Every structure is written in C-alpha cells, then in structure tokens.
Amino acid sequence: HSQTGQQRAIHPYFDVAQKAIENNLPSGKKGLKQKFVYQKAREGQGKYRKGVMAKFKNGCLLTGIKEDYLLHACHIIPYIHPDATVKDKINTNNGLALTPTAHKLFDEHKISFDKNKLVVADNLSAEVNKNLGLQPGRVFIDMPKGCYPYLQWHLDRFNERN
C-alpha cells in the first residue's frame, strides 16, 4: 500500500524486483527510509551557470534547445583539469550551453570547435552524425569570441585524440 492507503499497481517485473530489494534489506526492515546526503558544491558555479546561459540566449549551440532544465553550462577546460586556473573555473568565456548529449560528445572529444566552426571526430558513426545533425564545418555565428582561446585549448586535445 502507498502512503495514501491506495494499493500500488501490479507490474510483473517491478513487483518482483521490488520484493527482491525488500527481501535483501536487513531483517525487520521493509521499505527504505530517506536520508539527507551532503555533497560538494562547486564554489561560484551558480553564478557561472547564469552567466553562460546569458551568453547563449539561443540555447544549445548544436540543437537550439532553449529549455533551461535541458541545458548544461559546460566548462571548455574542465573544472577539475590541472590546466584550469581558479579564474578559468568561473570565467563564462570558458563555457558553452549544451544539452547533455552534446556535452558528452564535447567532453569525450567527439566534437570540438575551431573558433566558431564545428569539428567532428572521424570515428563517429554516420547514424550519430545524421541523428544529431552534426555537420562538420557548420558555422555558429553566435559563438562569443571570448570563448576562442578556451576552444583552442579543447581543439588541441581533440586533435591529439583523433
């Protein structure tokens, strides 16, 4: 029964999986309790995100998606990389607005930018290129020029890996 007293819907897979989870809890405990979990927060990142999103008013560079909850403020030089200075970590020129999929491609050096032109790794499948609309050489007129030095850093690592 749920907290409201209604019986939950029966689902052949999930009911079995839920019972297996409950049966593996320490004896006498049914269900799970909520816990408060502390996690590290990156200092200055709220302001960084707002600044990156303000810079990229048209949303994700690749997709044009504008919904804030679907966008990441991505560091070009990764926050945890030894090359990233304290200034780089909060500088909005070291940021792009990307959807999670585009962010993953960027972090994995499957895509990069030569100033405002898209560069795509040769080892991406034709299916990925087609489905994500990745067009090598595509020009992004909205790319802030302040991002260029950071993008050059990323492009150098892209070229090393591809």
Side-chain angles (χ1 to χ4, degrees), residues 50-88:
K50 284 180 187 173
V52 170
M53 294 305 149
K55 222 179 249 270
F56 291 91
K57 291 179 181 86
N58 291 327
C60 174
L61 276 171
L62 293 180
T63 65
I65 289 173
K66 293 180 183 175
E67 286 79 4
D68 188 63
Y69 70 97
L70 293 174
L71 296 173
H72 288 178
C74 311
H75 284 86
I76 299 169
I77 298 176
Y79 188 92
I80 62 170
H81 196 281
D83 288 354
T85 65
V86 172
K87 182 181 173 190
D88 294 334

Side-chain angles (χ1 to χ4, degrees), residues 112-119 143 148 151-152 155:
S112 192
F113 296 90
D114 186 353
K115 295 184 179 166
N116 65 344
K117 291 183 186 138
L118 180 65
V119 182
M143 181 71 79
Y148 288 4
L151 290 170
Q152 185 61 55
L155 182 62

Side-chain angles (χ1 to χ4, degrees), residues 6 33 42-43 50 67 151 153:
Q6 298 174 343
K33 294 180 181 179
R42 294 176 174 175
E43 195 171 354
K50 284 180 187 173
E67 286 79 4
L151 290 170
W153 181 96

